[in-house]
Amino acid sequence: MKKIMMAKGARSIVEVNLGVKENEQVAIITEPKQMRIAEALAAAVIAAKAEPSIHILMPRERDGQEPPKTIAAAMKESDAFISAVYTSITHTHAVKDACANGSRGIMLTQFNEDQMIKGGVHADYHKAAADCKKVAETLAGSKVITITTPLGTNLTLSGEGRRGNALTGLVGPGEFGPVPTVEANVSPVEGSANGVIVADASIPYIGIGLLKTPVRMEVKDGYIVLETITGGEEAKKLAADWISKNDKNVYNVAEVGVGLNPECVFTGSMLEDEGVFGSLHIGVGTNITLGGIIKAPCHYDLIMTKPTLIADGIVILKDGELML
């Protein structure tokens, strides 16, 4: 029964988000525990009169670790690809190279079967895309970006010279995007971020998920200061994970992202939580696929609610309400 119920969501991903056309070659990258999702997607590709191939990836040891060369090659040679994995391969050279070769991709990181049935996957993506593009255009190249929240976030950074990324959930040749999130983001200039981050909604990685206690940290010259991370068990778990990576770039402030999918709700799942309308997340770590130059061992998002976001004097969000 669940397999039948997943069919509608799978078809939406294939036909709406990925825009699969007749006779296209679609590479589906998955892990053993995600196979039912991969099979539903493959059936939807066949229904679209295209040809799927399923590539089983042994789970990566960490987010951002490159897939094997054979899978990277399949992605690069495909017309389109879907990454239905639990451990993220989004911020990898494999994705970057596939898109540079003209393929297009949908990222379903930590996607579960329930998400195929309800929630953000069933949004009106074409309607949401209009808001998404407006926010991305406003963020692009902004010299001074400020973020505040009622719980204490107070962060200043610069997007000067950086592109705005509109992740509408709709992709064309050379593009990739996550689903079900709809988000606009910018990768700040390395070293430009200073202030305080307080995540109160979710850190949907390494088993943390929805936050019971806000996680607070200070930022100096673009990097989170490890010694300032506070907030209970979740904060300790995050700090311990970063320490274990033994790489200063895991602390790099890599992204400012705004959630813009009206159908998403906080569940503890990464791509659902990041898309919650009016939320904001600060990405930390790798930024090479967002317009930056740093490759770190991971990329984690710190999600907060009721943000006020201002770019070069233009109010984008006020207490979580879209003002554009």
Side-chain angles (χ1 to χ4, degrees):
M1 177 62 72
K2 202 167 191 179
K3 188 174 182 179
I4 296 172
M5 294 172 70
M6 286 197 292
K8 182 179 179 182
R11 193 152 189 170
S12 179
I13 291 167
V14 167
E15 296 184 3
V16 177
N17 300 109
L18 197 56
V20 170
K21 302 175 183 66
E22 188 172 349
N23 296 323
E24 284 194 313
Q25 305 284 310
V26 182
I28 300 170
I29 318 304
T30 194
E31 297 177 9
K33 69 178 181 179
Q34 308 288 88
M35 274 299 295
R36 279 166 56 99
I37 292 172
E39 289 169 354
L41 292 165
V45 171
I46 292 169
K49 299 182 179 180
E51 185 170 356
S53 59
I54 296 177
H55 305 264
I56 301 175
L57 173 74
M58 293 306 295
R60 305 289 84 188
E61 295 178 358
R62 52 177 170 75
D63 291 321
Q65 185 179 356
E66 297 289 334
K69 292 180 181 179
T70 51
I71 290 180
M75 294 165 64
K76 187 174 181 179
E77 295 303 317
S78 69
D79 295 304
F81 63 91
I82 304 173
S83 172
V85 297
Y86 192 82
T87 304
S88 175
I89 62 168
T90 299
H91 300 278
T92 60
H93 291 291
V95 169
K96 190 174 183 179
D97 292 345
C99 290
N101 202 46
S103 188
R104 61 192 191 277
I106 289 295
M107 318 309 289
L108 301 178
T109 306
Q110 294 186 15
F111 203 79
N112 60 54
E113 294 177 14
D114 288 338
Q115 286 177 280
M116 194 79 85
I117 297 168
K118 59 185 178 181
V121 72
H122 298 297
D124 183 339
Y125 284 89
H126 291 283
K127 184 177 180 180
D131 285 337
C132 188
K133 290 175 181 177
K134 283 192 295 184
V135 174
E137 288 168 2
T138 306
L139 288 171
S142 295
K143 294 181 180 179
V144 180
I145 298 171
T146 60
I147 303 157
T148 58
T149 67
L151 289 180
T153 294
N154 192 342
L155 191 67
T156 301
L157 41 81
S158 175
E160 186 172 9
R162 290 293 166 86
R163 70 177 190 252
N165 302 298
L167 305 184
T168 63
L170 305 168
V171 293
E175 300 175 343
F176 77 94
V179 169
T181 187
V182 174
E183 69 171 83
N185 66 52
V186 67
S187 185
V189 175
E190 291 77 9
S192 69
N194 285 281
V196 176
I197 297 170
V198 181
D200 65 294
S202 174
I203 301 177
Y205 302 86
I206 58 172
I208 296 178
L210 300 179
L211 294 174
K212 298 176 182 177
T213 305
V215 176
R216 183 188 186 278
M217 60 200 74
E218 295 178 14
V219 178
K220 183 176 181 180
D221 297 333
Y223 288 85
I224 288 167
V225 180
L226 173 64
E227 295 77 12
T228 66
I229 301 173
T230 59
E233 292 305 313
E234 294 110 334
K236 292 177 183 177
K237 190 168 188 176
L238 179 63
D241 182 86
W242 277 335
I243 291 170
S244 73
K245 300 292 193 293
N246 195 30
D247 187 328
K248 71 174 186 177
N249 287 332
V250 301
Y251 305 104
N252 173 56
V253 175
E255 173 193 8
V256 176
V258 178
L260 293 163
N261 186 333
E263 301 299 323
C264 283
V265 295
F266 288 118
T267 65
S269 177
M270 178 179 64
L271 294 179
E272 193 83 26
D273 290 6
E274 290 176 353
V276 172
F277 195 94
S279 68
L280 184 145
H281 56 272
I282 301 297
V284 184
T286 289
N287 64 8
I288 59 167
T289 56
L290 301 173
I293 60 174
I294 288 181
K295 179 70 167 76
C298 58
H299 177 101
Y300 299 155
D301 291 308
L302 316 175
I303 308 175
M304 58 197 72
T305 59
K306 298 184 178 179
T308 294
L309 172 65
I310 302 173
D312 283 349
I314 300 173
V315 180
I316 299 173
L317 295 173
K318 184 173 177 58
D319 296 328
E321 297 292 327
L322 185 63
M323 305 302 289
L324 296 179

